[in-house]
Amino acid sequence: MSASAFSDAEYHQRAAAALAAVERQVDRWLDEDVIDIDSHRTGGLLELSLPDGSKLIVNTQPPLHEIWLAARAGGFHFRLQADGSWRDTRDGADFFERLSQQASAQAGRPLVFAAG
């Protein structure tokens, strides 16, 4: 589904919800002493700093109605789908699954992010 299928308002609401879900998971890990990830959010940009000093950057791209993920392994672009999921524009991977893979690789331990 193309970006034009969603209004700007719906895109902003869904993108904010995705960033909030990531922040909630990081907060849970901190509360449960699972892993010390520092998160810093400025508007539509969320920076996650892992214990080894590496970073994951999640950034909204309003003109494209996308969310971008920058990781050690490279950059990934995700577009909102009719079912509410965010899918990679190249291979269709789910945003939260790809974020989990990249965070796990950079942290050296399994980390799972989910939409809810």
Side-chain angles (χ1 to χ4, degrees):
M1 178 169 280
S2 69
S4 63
F6 295 95
S7 69
D8 286 347
E10 185 170 11
Y11 162 78
H12 286 292
Q13 186 253 340
R14 302 269 185 129
L19 293 183
V22 173
E23 288 177 304
R24 279 192 306 275
Q25 183 60 61
V26 169
D27 288 346
R28 277 193 293 272
W29 288 332
L30 287 171
D31 289 346
E32 297 168 5
D33 202 27
V34 173
I35 188 168
D36 185 14
I37 296 178
D38 181 44
S39 67
H40 179 73
R41 184 167 169 184
T42 305
L45 185 139
L46 177 61
E47 183 176 297
L48 304 177
S49 300
L50 285 88
D52 70 350
S54 69
K55 295 183 187 288
L56 293 162
I57 308 293
V58 180
N59 194 13
T60 60
Q61 295 294 317
L64 301 173
H65 283 198
E66 293 181 355
I67 291 178
W68 291 2
L69 169 63
R72 233 187 233 154
F76 307 91
H77 300 183
F78 302 86
R79 189 168 295 133
L80 184 61
Q81 303 299 303
D83 66 1
S85 67
W86 292 91
R87 296 285 172 180
D88 191 297
T89 58
R90 285 177 283 187
D91 65 9
D94 177 78
F95 167 72
F96 291 100
E97 289 176 13
R98 177 69 37 84
L99 177 60
S100 298
Q101 292 166 351
Q102 297 305 313
S104 297
Q106 289 181 215
R109 61 186 301 172
L111 297 172
V112 178
F113 288 92

